[in-house]
Amino acid sequence: AAAGATTTQLPVVAGGADAGSLVRAILTDTVGGVVQGSSAATNGQTLGTLVSTATPAVTSIKASAGRLYSMHVGNPNTSAVYLKLWNVAAPTLGTTAATMSFYIPASSNVAIPISDLGLYFSTAITFAVTGGQSLTDNTTITTGASVNYSFM
């Protein structure tokens, strides 16, 4: 554990193959009883933000395997947009089917539901925002959407 870190063992209470096993919870840099987040240099999450282009373009969050912990999309358009995620380093818009797709309603802000364990991507984490639902869509949107994310 990092200097000043506290390690606590917690029993797993959920059923399944791992029931009864122990989970290590590492709490870093506690100050006055408040847990402070760790930096990317000490295995913390890396934060990112992007305003997508109106013409869909693939953005690489991480060019190797990793975990996505949060995504929040702001759609300023009067039409819905779709956040596409790939487990591929260089997907081709219009050809490579997205691994996941999320509907973002018009004029809205949406937090993509991701568990505390994150979503594991074995190859790379890439995304694009498009105007159509199809997993291979590359429809232009009117105005770029804002995308905020955290990953490791």
Side-chain angles (χ1 to χ4, degrees):
T6 302
T7 301
T8 304
Q9 301 233 349
L10 303 171
V12 175
V13 294
D18 293 330
S21 66
L22 296 176
V23 175
R24 286 173 47 119
I26 298 175
L27 308 177
T28 60
D29 302 330
T30 55
V31 177
V34 177
V35 177
Q36 305 295 312
S38 58
S39 68
T42 59
N43 295 324
Q45 296 176 23
T46 300
L47 305 177
T49 189
L50 172 86
V51 175
S52 70
T53 58
T55 301
V58 172
T59 298
S60 175
I61 291 177
K62 189 168 188 222
S64 59
R67 287 191 184 278
L68 185 62
Y69 286 93
S70 69
M71 285 201 94
H72 183 273
V73 182
N75 177 12
N77 295 285
T78 57
S79 298
V81 298
Y82 295 83
L83 172 70
K84 307 292 196 302
L85 291 169
W86 288 269
N87 185 22
V88 176
T92 302
L93 283 170
T95 303
T96 309
T99 305
M100 302 177 85
S101 180
F102 297 93
Y103 170 79
I104 312 298
S107 304
S108 68
N109 294 296
V110 174
I112 304 302
I114 299 175
S115 80
D116 291 343
L117 298 176
L119 291 173
Y120 180 70
F121 290 76
S122 60
T123 303
I125 307 171
T126 52
F127 77 90
V129 179
T130 72
Q133 183 175 13
S134 166
L135 293 178
T136 56
D137 182 69
N138 64 351
T139 303
T140 298
I141 59 178
T142 307
T143 303
S146 63
V147 181
N148 297 292
Y149 51 87
S150 66
F151 68 97
M152 281 179 47

